[in-house]
Each structure stands twice: as structure tokens, then as C-alpha cells.
Amino acid sequence: MKWRGRRKSSNVEDRRGSSTGGKIAIGGGLIGLIIVLFQLFSGGDATEVLEQLQDQSGTTTEARELTAEEKELGDFSATVLADTEDVWHEIFQQNGSTYREPGMVLFSDAVRTACGGASAASGPFYCPADEKIYMDLSFFEALHTRFGAEKGDFAIAYVIAHEVGHHVQGLLGTMQQVRQLQQGMSTAEANQLSVALELQADFYAGLWAHHNREYLEEGDIGEAMSAASAVGDDAIQRRTSGRVVPDAFTHGTSQQRMEWFMKGYKTGELQSGNTFPSLGF
Ligand SMILES: [Zn+2]
């Protein structure tokens, strides 16, 4: 994607390299100090506690400098987010409404969100409660090494656009409708609705790529498709458990995910993204 020198979103919070546990460490330090004092005065051995204290302050309070590669990934992500803002402002306007921009938090290791705590293991996600997209960029290394996706910047762009798609579902009320319908359903039925939500977010990612065509480079769509395929439920299940259980699908198969992304990319029309045919949305 041609992204250098273009507008970067101002809605990005970069928490990589900075400590999330600063306060905890101070609290732990104080409690630790009391324990040390207590042990010293009661004649116990304080060496172990002192060592623990050192470990704590070393790992949780020190901020580190981002590498050049990390900075570049941050700039790229901020440019993609800016592109989604431009595209969705236009689409909402055409449909007579106003787009509210989501935030994006870049983090490493662990993060606190309005939807609870999360670790890098959860992958990128959108939290409706604070309208923020949470991205641990090391996920993309795993996408490549563990899930076999092609390496490329557009895999990241696809995932950001997919998470923005969930934000759009929140603004349009689709997400709320689905969550309501899922109450009282069997798990298999509820999972089908989750799949439809995910496929629609893939469609929205494709829709975004369609409206961002002028910045695409050869190979970009292939990278997005490869990423979409790598994160298909069947592909993930095969890698993690060795078998495929369709009822447990919550995101759709690799084939479905690629199809809906391509449908969005080819049509460029919001109205073509009905992944809920049986519900009449
Ligand atoms: Zn999703």
C-alpha cells in the first residue's frame, strides 16, 4: 500500500514500550517494603523478598524505546486508520448520517480496556464499550509464522479495516440487534450469528479497500486474502486441534471470509453486505 507521507489518524494511542503496571509496581513496592521491614524486625530472612522487589521494579516500571521497525508499523497503522475514517465519513454521509471515528490502541503484552483486560494472545479486537480497536502488532508476526499468512503490510490493513467494520456495526445497530437475538439461542445458533457478524466485518474491510483503490499496490489484495484465509475458523481449528467442528465456528471458514472480503472489494456498496439473509436485516 502506498502510505508514506500521507495523513495519519490522530485517534491512535501508542502504549507500546510504556509500562501498564506502573501503579501496581509502586503499590507492590510499598507492600513489599512493609513485608521486608516486618521480616527484618521479626528476624526472618528478607533476601528473597528483596530480590522479588528488584524484579518487580525492573520489569514493570521501565519504559523502553520503540525500535525503528515498531515506529514504522505504528505510522502505517495510523495511516490505515486515517484512510478508514475518510472512507466511512463519505459512506455515512451518502447514507444521510454521521460517522463517529473509533480510537485505536497499540499495545504490547497486555492491555486494560473497558471490555476487561486482554493479552497479546487474544489477537486484535474491537471493544464496543470504549469504541476502541486494540492492536498488538506482534500478532502479525504470529499470523505469518504460526498461521502461514503471506507477510505484507496489507494483512495489517485488512485486520484494522475488519475491526473498524465491527465499529461500523456498532454505529449501525447491527451488533446490538445480533447480541439481543443471541440471548436464549442454542450455542450453535448463536455461533451462526457470530459468523454472520464476522463475515460482514470482512465485507466492510473489502468495501474499504474498494474505496481506497488509488493507494493499493500489486499484491495487496492477495495479502488480505491470505490473511483472511489464515484466520478462518477451519484453518485455525485444523492447526490447533487437528479437526474441524463447524458448529463451533464463530468467524467463518477461510473460503467464506475470502468471499465476503472480495464481495465488498468488488461491489463497493454498503447494501451488498447482508450476511444475515435469514434474518431480513
Ligand atoms: Zn472480527
Side-chain angles (χ1 to χ4, degrees):
M1 196 179 109
K2 299 174 199 131
W3 64 276
R4 280 174 212 279
R6 296 181 36 234
R7 182 175 84 83
K8 286 182 268 181
S9 171
S10 54
N11 295 314
V12 181
E13 242 176 274
D14 201 338
R15 296 194 205 156
R16 296 173 301 167
S18 69
S19 157
T20 49
K23 272 186 182 158
I24 297 169
I26 294 164
L30 267 179
I31 293 163
L33 194 66
I34 293 163
I35 296 171
V36 171
L37 286 172
F38 175 75
Q39 292 198 329
L40 283 175
F41 284 115
S42 65
D45 183 8
T47 334
E48 223 182 77
V49 184
L50 279 170
E51 272 169 8
Q52 274 176 6
L53 275 179
Q54 251 165 1
D55 281 354
Q56 266 184 356
S57 57
T59 50
T60 57
T61 56
E62 221 169 75
R64 78 184 165 82
E65 186 76 28
L66 294 178
T67 66
E69 195 187 353
E70 283 174 320
K71 279 182 193 154
E72 188 170 89
L73 266 179
D75 288 343
F76 172 75
S77 305
T79 309
V80 171
L81 188 64
D83 281 343
T84 66
E85 289 163 1
D86 294 343
V87 166
W88 284 108
H89 271 302
E90 206 180 298
I91 295 174
F92 270 63
Q93 210 164 19
Q94 282 165 1
N95 287 276
S97 65
T98 313
Y99 180 63
R100 193 167 60 241
E101 298 171 356
M104 183 162 78
V105 177
L106 305 178
F107 73 99
S108 37
D109 307 325
V111 71
R112 288 185 193 140
T113 83
C115 299
S119 75
S122 35
F125 64 98
Y126 172 70
C127 169
D130 56 18
E131 300 199 338
K132 285 177 185 170
I133 292 157
Y134 289 87
M135 298 279 292
D136 170 22
L137 293 172
S138 67
F139 167 78
F140 296 97
E141 197 52 44
L143 195 63
H144 171 64
T145 53
R146 289 191 46 216
F147 297 103
E150 279 174 38
K151 211 170 179 172
D153 59 4
F154 212 74
I156 300 176
Y158 152 71
V159 171
I160 294 173
H162 170 98
E163 299 307 336
V164 169
H166 286 311
H167 173 68
V168 168
Q169 290 172 325
L171 294 182
L172 296 177
T174 319
M175 192 179 280
Q176 296 83 331
Q177 274 176 281
V178 166
R179 296 291 173 234
Q180 209 156 30
L181 281 165
Q182 282 175 324
Q183 312 274 323
M185 275 183 167
S186 71
T187 309
E189 280 175 324
N191 281 350
Q192 277 181 12
L193 284 187
S194 293
V195 168
L197 264 186
E198 292 304 326
L199 294 178
Q200 191 177 52
D202 284 333
F203 171 85
Y204 287 156
L207 187 75
W208 165 76
H210 172 93
H211 290 279
N212 220 42
R213 286 194 308 274
E214 59 178 309
Y215 303 116
L216 298 192
E217 290 173 316
E218 214 185 308
D220 279 349
I221 294 301
E223 284 166 21
M225 296 284 275
S226 170
S229 169
V231 292
D233 281 320
D234 48 346
I236 291 177
Q237 282 185 355
R238 225 172 261 127
R239 272 193 187 80
T240 52
S241 72
R243 63 203 181 97
V244 180
V245 188
D247 270 357
F249 283 177
T250 52
H251 287 75
T253 64
S254 300
Q255 188 61 34
Q256 284 175 314
R257 300 199 71 166
M258 291 194 290
E259 268 171 24
W260 280 100
F261 175 88
M262 278 317 278
K263 193 170 181 190
Y265 178 64
K266 280 182 182 151
T267 65
E269 275 175 30
L270 185 68
Q271 285 73 17
S272 305
N274 186 358
T275 54
F276 304 89
S278 55
L279 297 174
F281 274 21

PDB file of all heavy atoms in Angstrom, residues 162-163 166 198 251, ligand 1:
ATOM      1  N   HIS A 162     -11.109  -4.603   9.242  1.00  0.00           N
ATOM      2  CA  HIS A 162     -12.090  -5.556   9.779  1.00  0.00           C
ATOM      3  C   HIS A 162     -12.585  -5.090  11.153  1.00  0.00           C
ATOM      4  O   HIS A 162     -13.783  -5.082  11.429  1.00  0.00           O
ATOM      5  CB  HIS A 162     -11.449  -6.950   9.872  1.00  0.00           C
ATOM      6  CG  HIS A 162     -12.279  -7.968  10.619  1.00  0.00           C
ATOM      7  ND1 HIS A 162     -13.080  -8.886   9.974  1.00  0.00           N
ATOM      8  CD2 HIS A 162     -12.425  -8.208  11.952  1.00  0.00           C
ATOM      9  CE1 HIS A 162     -13.684  -9.642  10.888  1.00  0.00           C
ATOM     10  NE2 HIS A 162     -13.301  -9.257  12.095  1.00  0.00           N
ATOM     11  N   GLU A 163     -11.659  -4.669  12.014  1.00  0.00           N
ATOM     12  CA  GLU A 163     -12.053  -4.197  13.353  1.00  0.00           C
ATOM     13  C   GLU A 163     -12.874  -2.915  13.241  1.00  0.00           C
ATOM     14  O   GLU A 163     -13.844  -2.721  13.985  1.00  0.00           O
ATOM     15  CB  GLU A 163     -10.822  -3.981  14.246  1.00  0.00           C
ATOM     16  CG  GLU A 163      -9.967  -5.238  14.494  1.00  0.00           C
ATOM     17  CD  GLU A 163     -10.763  -6.435  15.025  1.00  0.00           C
ATOM     18  OE1 GLU A 163     -11.824  -6.233  15.621  1.00  0.00           O
ATOM     19  OE2 GLU A 163     -10.300  -7.573  14.821  1.00  0.00           O
ATOM     20  N   HIS A 166     -16.384  -3.771  12.695  1.00  0.00           N
ATOM     21  CA  HIS A 166     -17.180  -4.028  13.903  1.00  0.00           C
ATOM     22  C   HIS A 166     -17.672  -2.720  14.518  1.00  0.00           C
ATOM     23  O   HIS A 166     -18.779  -2.648  15.039  1.00  0.00           O
ATOM     24  CB  HIS A 166     -16.348  -4.796  14.940  1.00  0.00           C
ATOM     25  CG  HIS A 166     -16.145  -6.241  14.579  1.00  0.00           C
ATOM     26  ND1 HIS A 166     -17.178  -7.071  14.189  1.00  0.00           N
ATOM     27  CD2 HIS A 166     -15.020  -7.007  14.544  1.00  0.00           C
ATOM     28  CE1 HIS A 166     -16.702  -8.283  13.934  1.00  0.00           C
ATOM     29  NE2 HIS A 166     -15.396  -8.274  14.138  1.00  0.00           N
ATOM     30  N   GLU A 198     -18.989 -11.569  11.778  1.00  0.00           N
ATOM     31  CA  GLU A 198     -17.587 -11.570  11.356  1.00  0.00           C
ATOM     32  C   GLU A 198     -17.448 -11.438   9.848  1.00  0.00           C
ATOM     33  O   GLU A 198     -16.594 -10.704   9.359  1.00  0.00           O
ATOM     34  CB  GLU A 198     -16.888 -12.848  11.841  1.00  0.00           C
ATOM     35  CG  GLU A 198     -16.714 -12.927  13.349  1.00  0.00           C
ATOM     36  CD  GLU A 198     -15.961 -11.736  13.916  1.00  0.00           C
ATOM     37  OE1 GLU A 198     -15.055 -11.210  13.234  1.00  0.00           O
ATOM     38  OE2 GLU A 198     -16.295 -11.315  15.037  1.00  0.00           O
ATOM     39  N   HIS A 251     -16.224 -17.375  13.320  1.00  0.00           N
ATOM     40  CA  HIS A 251     -15.741 -16.362  12.375  1.00  0.00           C
ATOM     41  C   HIS A 251     -15.996 -16.707  10.911  1.00  0.00           C
ATOM     42  O   HIS A 251     -15.858 -15.853  10.050  1.00  0.00           O
ATOM     43  CB  HIS A 251     -14.239 -16.128  12.554  1.00  0.00           C
ATOM     44  CG  HIS A 251     -13.916 -15.375  13.803  1.00  0.00           C
ATOM     45  ND1 HIS A 251     -13.969 -15.953  15.047  1.00  0.00           N
ATOM     46  CD2 HIS A 251     -13.561 -14.092  14.001  1.00  0.00           C
ATOM     47  CE1 HIS A 251     -13.643 -15.046  15.962  1.00  0.00           C
ATOM     48  NE2 HIS A 251     -13.396 -13.904  15.344  1.00  0.00           N
TER      49      HIS A 251
HETATM   50 ZN    ZN B   1     -13.989  -9.776  13.997  1.00  0.00          ZN
END
